[in-house]
Amino acid sequence: GAVVSQHPSRVICKSGTSVKIECRSLDFQATTMFWYRQFPKQSLMLMATSNEGSKATYEQGVEKDKFLINHASLTLSTLTVTSAHPEDSSFYICSARDVVSGGQYFGPGTRLTVT
Amino acid sequence: AQSVTQPDIHITVSEGASLELRCNYSYGATPYLFWYVQSPGQGLQLLLKYFSGDTLVQGIKGFEAEFKRSQSSFNLRKPSVHWSDAAEYFCAVGATAGNKLTFGGGTRVLVKP
């Protein structure tokens, strides 16, 4: 079946540093990937839509200069949290849309803790 | 704007008993509806989805859901729960199968022995 991986699964970083999270579609191509954020005991909120070869589309209230998204290939999208602060600590989940089937598949998530 | 409401934040059920999780949606067109399950610290697993056709949808792990257009509902059911069903359940709506999703707030299911 369609598999999406995320790396790293957990990351701890110091306040003010940047951290990059990768989302890969392992056995299918994805021109579109989505990035969601989930705070503890809360639901998933869409942050942005990542489009291969073009700029990402950010949801209202999400700072595009803080959450940098790059989708340079059909199997990889990256989310970089710049100048991270403790309030950025969250569970980040990506999903990828299969260009052939149109189905959407979720990654296992990345737990970010900013100290 | 689309929205999803899961009225029950927590549900506790005895092992072997039936389970029903409620989901109400607001959407301007025919929705694509999904139920996902999330175990603690894990990603999402798709239980089932509805696009069109038979309004009673069968999913994995013995779950089923019924789409009721008149009630804007897509409730999830399982006749007999197992301890392993303890998890967080999310209902979601999207414009297509592969489009961005709007999630409900989730329902945490606790299973008593």
Side-chain angles (χ1 to χ4, degrees), chain A residues 6-76:
Chain A
Q6 284 185 239
H7 179 78
S9 57
R10 294 176 179 270
V11 57
I12 300 173
C13 69
K14 293 185 182 299
S15 185
T17 62
S18 296
V19 61
K20 180 185 287 187
I21 302 170
E22 295 184 346
C23 176
R24 292 182 185 273
S25 55
L26 299 185
D27 48 5
F28 64 96
Q29 293 184 330
T31 54
T32 301
M33 293 185 177
F34 303 98
W35 287 96
Y36 296 85
R37 179 168 53 184
Q38 184 181 30
F39 290 110
K41 300 188 186 299
Q42 295 188 27
S43 187
L44 286 79
M45 298 296 292
L46 180 68
M47 298 176 64
T49 301
S50 170
N51 302 298
E52 187 267 336
S54 64
K55 291 183 179 180
T57 304
Y58 290 82
E59 296 298 301
Q60 190 172 8
V62 177
E63 301 174 59
K64 61 180 181 181
D65 294 330
K66 180 171 182 61
F67 298 99
L68 301 179
I69 291 173
N70 183 274
H71 193 156
S73 79
L74 288 173
T75 59
L76 174 64

Side-chain angles (χ1 to χ4, degrees), chain A residues 36 38 43 46 97 102 104 108, chain B residues 36 38 43 98-101 103-104:
Chain A
Y36 296 85
Q38 184 181 30
S43 187
L46 180 68
R97 180 165 69 201
Q104 181 174 174
Chain B
Y36 289 91
Q38 184 182 37
N99 210 335
K100 59 184 180 181
L101 298 180
F103 285 85

